[in-house]
């Protein structure tokens, strides 16, 4: 027996008719015992990464709640008409995936439904954060993204809205918009879903041929290499804290001719608690530089270690705190992004 497809709704009026009823015994303004509606916003061409968001939304609202998945290819987010036309549309498959993952409703409005009268004259500005990294590579992209997210939040009226960590800058901007403009919704980030070989799940992956996909794996390898470099440095620092004077031990081992053990002890003695932002960047860039010599080559757009609050670059003297290591590159004609969260200063 197959899972039923989700219910397809095309207009705001239809969506209003499917709004969950007020829980019996509740009163206006009283806190809810459990969220009633969760939203997952997509541009369609759904894959397992979207399914993970839908499952997280279902777990949050429970069997009695409602999970609404929006499918809307937003023209404001595309710089060129050709890119908009190229974007894959797979609505029938999307309906089946949403149903199988636990979603109730797919809201797939037309452009006229979302933007009656044409492109909106008033839009939401992403501000300085929207001009960095992805914003610098795709001018106006984040203004268009926030404008449609704001409209869809108004139309769907969820208690919770779920977004993937893969689009980390997008997630940070949505959180900032919701906070700054007092949207009555909680934004939930969900860990990036990956293929077994590490490639971040994306609707764009379908455009890669076998050779391009091999090259594209450098993005995740670079992130994992940086993560491992940070973990190794922090493990060495923890040993230094636990082992007393590693410098004295290294000197003694050198006198005894045990050069390899001495080098290890010196590494422990020199280990920084933060792992060194410069070392993290270098570990990632080494992998990406190698991929630039592959056939086909990886054409790097950026690799950046940034503060997740505002996406400004983290200085090399940072000793503690959270960070996002983000990378973007083209392989052939396909542009891919990926990122990984890191924490500096951890010693356990």
């Amino acid at each position: 027996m197959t899972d039923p497809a989700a219910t397809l709704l095309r207009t705001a009026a239809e969506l209003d008719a499917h709004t969950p009823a007020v829980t019996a015994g509740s009163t206006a303004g009283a806190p809810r015992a459990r969220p009633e509606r969760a939203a997952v916003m997509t541009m369609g061409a759904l894959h397992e990464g979207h399914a993970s968001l839908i499952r997280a939304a279902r777990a949050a609202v429970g069997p009695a709640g409602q999970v609404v998945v929006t499918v809307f290819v937003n023209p404001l987010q595309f710089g060129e008409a050709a890119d908009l036309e190229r974007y894959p549309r797979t609505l029938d498959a999307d309906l089946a995936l949403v149903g199988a993952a636990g979603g109730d409703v797919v809201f797939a409005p037309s452009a006229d439904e979302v933007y009656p009268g044409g492109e909106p004259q008033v839009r939401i500005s992403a501000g300085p954060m929207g001009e960095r990294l992805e914003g610098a590579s795709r001018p106006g992209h984040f203004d268009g993204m926030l404008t449609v997210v704001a409209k869809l939040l108004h139309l769907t009226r969820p208690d919770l809205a779920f977004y993937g960590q893969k689009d980390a800058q997008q997630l940070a901007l949505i959180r900032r918009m919701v906070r700054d403009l007092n949207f009555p919704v909680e934004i939930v980030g969900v860990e990036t879903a990956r293929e077994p070989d590490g490639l971040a799940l994306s609707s764009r992956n379908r455009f890669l041929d076998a050779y391009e996909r091999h090259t594209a794996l450098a993005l995740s390898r670079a992130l994992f290499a940086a993560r491992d470099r940070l973990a190794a440095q922090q493990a060495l620092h923890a040993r230094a804290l636990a082992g007393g004077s590693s410098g004295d031990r290294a000197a003694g081992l050198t006198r005894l001719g045990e050069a390899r053990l001495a080098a290890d002890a010196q590494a422990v003695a020199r280990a920084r608690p933060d792992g060194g932002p410069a070392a993290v960047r270098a570990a990632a860039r080494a992998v990406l530089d190698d991929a630039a010599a592959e056939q086909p080559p990886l054409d790097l757009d950026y690799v950046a270690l940034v503060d997740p609050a505002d996406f400004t670059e983290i200085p090399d003297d940072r000793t503690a705190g959270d960070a996002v290591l983000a990378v973007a590159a083209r392989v052939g004609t396909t542009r891919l992004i990926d990122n990984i969260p890191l924490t500096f200063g951890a010693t356990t």
Side-chain angles (χ1 to χ4, degrees):
M1 181 177 179
T2 59
D3 294 298
T7 300
L8 176 62
L9 306 177
R10 290 288 194 176
T11 68
E14 291 174 340
L15 187 61
D16 284 343
H18 280 74
T19 298
V22 176
T23 305
S26 65
T27 58
R32 296 169 175 150
R34 189 166 195 167
E36 294 174 351
R37 176 182 272 184
V40 176
M41 296 183 184
T42 81
M43 291 206 298
L46 304 187
H47 49 66
E48 177 57 28
H50 297 106
S52 69
L53 298 177
I54 297 166
R55 288 192 292 267
R58 170 54 65 201
V61 300
Q66 185 185 65
V67 176
V68 176
V69 179
T70 67
V71 172
F72 181 64
V73 183
N74 180 29
L76 302 188
Q77 290 175 236
F78 291 83
E80 298 181 7
D83 290 338
L84 175 61
E85 291 303 317
R86 184 186 184 209
Y87 197 87
R89 276 91 165 163
T90 58
L91 185 57
D92 289 342
D94 294 344
L95 289 167
L97 183 146
V98 171
D104 300 300
V105 169
V106 169
F107 179 48
S110 66
D112 289 339
E113 180 74 15
V114 177
Y115 302 121
E119 290 192 5
Q121 297 299 301
V122 176
R123 307 186 188 195
I124 291 179
S125 169
M129 197 196 320
E131 298 172 358
R132 300 171 187 137
L133 299 187
E134 285 301 291
S137 298
R138 305 165 69 187
H141 168 75
F142 285 126
D143 292 356
M145 179 275 295
L146 289 178
T147 298
V148 79
V149 167
K151 290 181 72 75
L152 290 173
L153 285 174
H154 286 312
L155 291 170
T156 58
R157 299 196 300 277
D159 304 296
L160 305 170
F162 290 75
Y163 300 89
Q165 177 64 34
K166 175 180 169 289
D167 297 298
Q169 191 172 3
Q170 170 180 282
L171 175 58
L173 281 163
I174 292 171
R175 282 178 165 149
R176 187 62 187 246
M177 177 186 73
V178 163
R179 186 183 73 184
D180 287 355
L181 301 184
N182 300 104
F183 278 74
V185 61
E186 179 183 347
I187 303 301
V188 182
V190 178
E191 184 178 354
T192 300
R194 298 185 179 277
E195 302 276 8
D197 58 9
L199 187 67
L201 283 167
S202 169
S203 58
R204 296 176 183 270
N205 292 352
R206 69 187 66 198
F207 298 132
L208 300 170
D209 65 27
Y211 299 103
E212 291 170 340
R213 183 184 173 87
H214 175 76
T215 297
L217 290 175
L219 274 71
S220 55
R221 286 205 312 271
L223 298 177
F224 299 155
R227 178 196 61 192
D228 293 346
R229 172 69 65 86
L230 177 60
Q233 286 290 105
Q234 293 181 156
L236 286 172
H237 181 70
R239 286 174 56 191
L241 293 178
S245 177
S246 296
D248 291 344
R249 177 172 177 266
L253 289 169
T254 299
R255 287 193 296 272
L256 292 173
E258 299 182 38
R260 186 171 180 180
L261 290 175
D264 176 72
Q266 289 284 9
V268 172
R270 291 194 303 267
R272 294 176 54 181
D274 61 339
V280 168
R281 290 186 180 95
R285 187 167 284 278
V287 176
L288 297 168
D289 287 347
D290 287 344
E294 295 276 358
Q295 289 300 326
L298 183 138
D299 182 12
L300 183 65
D301 186 348
Y302 63 76
V303 56
L305 185 66
V306 297
D307 187 319
D310 58 11
F311 272 67
T312 56
E313 283 280 350
I314 285 179
D316 285 345
D317 60 358
R318 172 71 63 88
T319 60
D322 293 332
V324 171
L325 182 63
V327 61
R330 284 190 181 275
V331 182
T333 61
T334 304
R335 187 174 185 276
L336 300 170
I337 63 172
D338 202 351
N339 71 85
I340 194 170
L342 300 172
T343 301
F344 288 86
T347 57
T348 58

